[in-house]
Amino acid sequence: MNFQKTLKASLLGVSLAVIAATGASAKNLVYCSEGSPEGFDAALYTAGTTFDASSKPVYNRLVEFKPGTTEVQPGLAESWEVSEDGLEYTFKLRKGVKFHTTSFFTPTREFNADDVVFTFERQLKKDNPWHEYTAGSSWEYFDGMSMPDLIKEIVKVDDYTVKFVLNRPEAPMIANLAMDFASIVSAEYADQLEAAGTKELLNQQPVGTGPFSFVGYQKDAVIRYAANPDYWRGKQPVDNLIFAITPDAAVRLQKLKAGECHIMPYPAPADIADIRDDGNLTLLEQQGLNVGYLAYNTKQAPFDKPEVRKALNHAINKQAILDAVFQGSGQAAKNPIPPTMWSYNDAVEDDDYNPELAKEMLEAAGVSDLSMKIWAMPVQRPYNPNARRMAEVMQADFANVGVNVEIVSYEWGEYLSRSKAEDRDGAVLLGWTGDNGDPDNFLAVLLGCDGVGGSNRAQWCNEEFDALIMKAKSVTSKEERTKLYEEAQVVFKEQAPWATIAHSVVFMPMSSKVTGYVMDPLGGHNFEGVDVAE
């Protein structure tokens, strides 16, 4: 079989189907995404793949990050004020903002304070009828960031003024509200769904105020969006945005070269040189605000012992992983935050590669004939371009110290869901790209006690660590916060809930016809303002 010929025929079929669905004369922007979204209600999830397909095109937030930066700018709120004691945040809302008109919803009013109150109260209040509106739903970010303890109440002052009243000061509060979980949904649309007995559609057919409105989703194949003609920042240069879901990096690149898509994420490191040399392509790159890690389940013996976790860390040859998996586009990680982030503690010493020491430590801990599972992601991520290969290197490393490893994997959505379980069997390969440029977004979300059973995949709750990061949230001095986070990194390294693996360089290949695309230091893919030359 001629693979290239078959592939081109397949791609042509997809292309023709997309054009037929969106209109042959329309200007289409096609993004070859790496995976399928878990859903379209961003507040329920933490995965970048899901945010790219939901919060980025469909929604807006009260405040938003200025493109290409971690600087916060006005969004659906024109302005805001913070009380002197740091306990009240008052937002003046933008007038004249319209929600999407779609085949399944026609709004009768514009965006107002009711939508803001609904968006957050459904996450805050357990007795809210929308708190558990879809099977297995959880407000992973909201809960993991201690928002239920932080927010005392959300007050509608008038139709265009909303006040958040806090129980304690929260230094990263404004940056937190620029994150994807804080995307504003339509209270009127929710009322319509509740009346029809179809509340689950909020997560399947999203309605927002963003640059693109949702048209349809063919699972694991394609997502279609149309430019919002009433967008408050102005209509987009393209008429349609199409996500062509393409899990294999080699196939994504083939589609890009064939002109079947305009932009792709997460190229294989081995393909970077080829992409650079292709005159029809543009390659953007930047140092990623990310970390890739192996999270032990610290609630399961013998991984409940720090000395066992440290021993396994000493067994891992990070340089071999960097060579085999990152191929020059990564650096070894020793802390749970990247070195480009403020408060990074460079004085921390990494667990060096020392198999003999690993054997001695396991023996001293009374561990022999250990068998374990390593979970390998089925998709490429910026912090891990090939999880299966990484797991295989670890499998060989652990075998060298007498530990037998079975590698397991699941479909991406199932992988994320199952890996949250407190009784999970095995250590899980995952990672993180910062969502707001604040250390709290790594240390509290991924390692705080409130994240256990959710975003804290190590299921690790350490009182000393938690006290440090909670205190760091409540002080406004950056210098004082830095000292607290530096101390927290020392505790993390001593306790070793993760094996920290790597920080990566992020590459973004695209057609040279694309203009206006700006790389996001927070790892998202945003197509607002992007155009394609015809």
Side-chain angles (χ1 to χ4, degrees), residues 360-424:
E360 293 172 10
M361 293 177 69
L362 288 172
E363 185 177 351
V367 175
S368 61
D369 299 321
L370 177 62
S371 293
M372 63 181 289
K373 292 177 180 176
I374 289 182
W375 292 34
M377 295 174 293
V379 298
Q380 294 89 8
R381 304 304 301 145
Y383 46 75
N384 191 336
N386 190 336
R388 180 78 192 191
R389 184 73 185 100
M390 185 181 291
E392 289 169 351
V393 175
M394 290 181 175
Q395 184 181 46
D397 287 342
F398 286 170
N400 288 338
V401 299
V403 176
N404 181 62
V405 167
E406 176 190 356
I407 300 172
V408 299
S409 191
Y410 302 93
E411 180 274 328
W412 185 222
E414 187 177 0
Y415 186 98
L416 291 169
S417 178
R418 285 185 176 223
S419 62
K420 299 174 191 175
E422 294 184 44
D423 61 352
R424 183 193 71 239

Side-chain angles (χ1 to χ4, degrees), residues 461-480:
C461 179
N462 178 277
E463 290 184 5
E464 182 182 4
F465 179 91
D466 218 56
L468 288 167
I469 61 171
M470 292 303 290
K471 184 176 180 181
K473 284 173 176 277
S474 64
V475 297
T476 56
S477 164
K478 191 171 183 179
E479 183 179 1
E480 187 175 352

Side-chain angles (χ1 to χ4, degrees), residues 205-233:
Q205 296 180 330
V207 169
T209 59
F212 295 95
S213 61
F214 176 83
V215 175
Y217 172 40
Q218 182 181 344
K219 184 172 172 54
D220 299 330
V222 63
I223 315 171
R224 287 187 290 272
Y225 310 85
N228 175 7
D230 301 316
Y231 187 44
W232 54 277
R233 285 193 182 111

Side-chain angles (χ1 to χ4, degrees), residues 512-529:
S512 57
K513 294 180 180 180
V514 172
T515 58
Y517 186 88
V518 179
M519 286 191 78
D520 182 358
L522 303 174
H525 300 98
N526 193 330
F527 303 101
E528 183 173 346

Side-chain angles (χ1 to χ4, degrees), residues 23-35:
S25 62
K27 182 185 283 192
N28 300 321
L29 175 64
V30 183
Y31 171 62
C32 279
S33 65
E34 79 289 358

